[in-house]
Amino acid sequence: MGEHTAGRRAPAYMHMLDLDDVIDELQSFRIERIEQEPLMIAARACRKNGAVADFPTFMDALAPFLAVTEPTEEALRRAWRLMDEGKRGIVGLDDLTRVANKYQMHLTQDEITDMIEFADDNGNGEVSFDEFRAIVGESDAAT
């Protein structure tokens, strides 16, 4: 696993992403130059290794495209605020479902649940900012 998912294991019940479906969905957006979009590049990179991938494997392929040369605490907090609309300090299934629907991500409830369970270190069913930062950013991001 990569640096962002090192030490994390996918739960045994984690659903696999059907990479052909992911690629078809991305192509359905009819975005100019879709092949250069990070999600498509990550999906195609995973597809070279098989027809399906688990979430940690997909995140390992996507992580280099999400990394900023100098991640800042503020950049991570801006992304966090998109999900934590209620300013509760935690993100749960409803929050992530709302964001997925808002941005037309076409994720199933099982896929969203898998994402939360993957990031949820303390097992409370929700993701704190620190857990979020551990997945998508550097834990010692500059301020």
Side-chain angles (χ1 to χ4, degrees), residues 3-137:
E3 70 180 81
H4 296 289
T5 56
R8 293 180 182 272
R9 294 192 139 180
Y13 51 82
M14 181 170 280
H15 301 277
M16 302 298 281
L17 296 172
D18 181 318
L19 296 168
D20 290 328
D21 285 348
V22 170
I23 290 167
D24 288 345
E25 277 292 323
L26 290 171
Q27 288 173 332
S28 76
F29 293 142
R30 303 210 189 285
I31 298 172
E32 189 176 321
R33 298 168 40 167
I34 188 68
E35 293 299 325
Q36 296 172 354
E37 291 294 322
L39 284 173
M40 183 62 87
I41 294 169
R44 290 220 185 267
C46 288
R47 182 62 181 93
K48 288 180 182 177
N49 296 320
V52 296
D54 61 18
F55 186 68
T57 300
F58 185 75
M59 282 304 297
D60 284 345
L62 184 60
F65 300 105
L66 299 177
V68 191
T69 54
E70 293 182 36
T72 65
E73 185 80 9
E74 182 54 31
L76 292 173
R77 290 200 182 276
R78 280 194 307 269
W80 176 257
R81 284 191 293 267
L82 291 173
M83 294 181 289
D84 185 19
E85 193 173 76
K87 298 180 182 173
R88 300 178 309 130
I90 52 174
V91 170
L93 183 63
D94 291 342
D95 300 303
L96 200 51
T97 299
R98 178 186 47 76
V99 171
N101 291 335
K102 179 177 181 177
Y103 293 103
Q104 300 177 351
M105 297 172 141
H106 304 289
L107 298 172
T108 67
Q109 285 298 111
D110 288 338
E111 290 168 331
I112 293 169
T113 299
D114 287 345
M115 290 177 192
I116 289 173
E117 290 171 353
F118 178 73
D120 180 19
D121 279 342
N122 65 9
N124 69 350
E126 298 174 310
V127 179
S128 69
F129 177 74
D130 289 337
E131 291 168 327
F132 169 74
R133 180 175 41 200
I135 295 297
V136 298

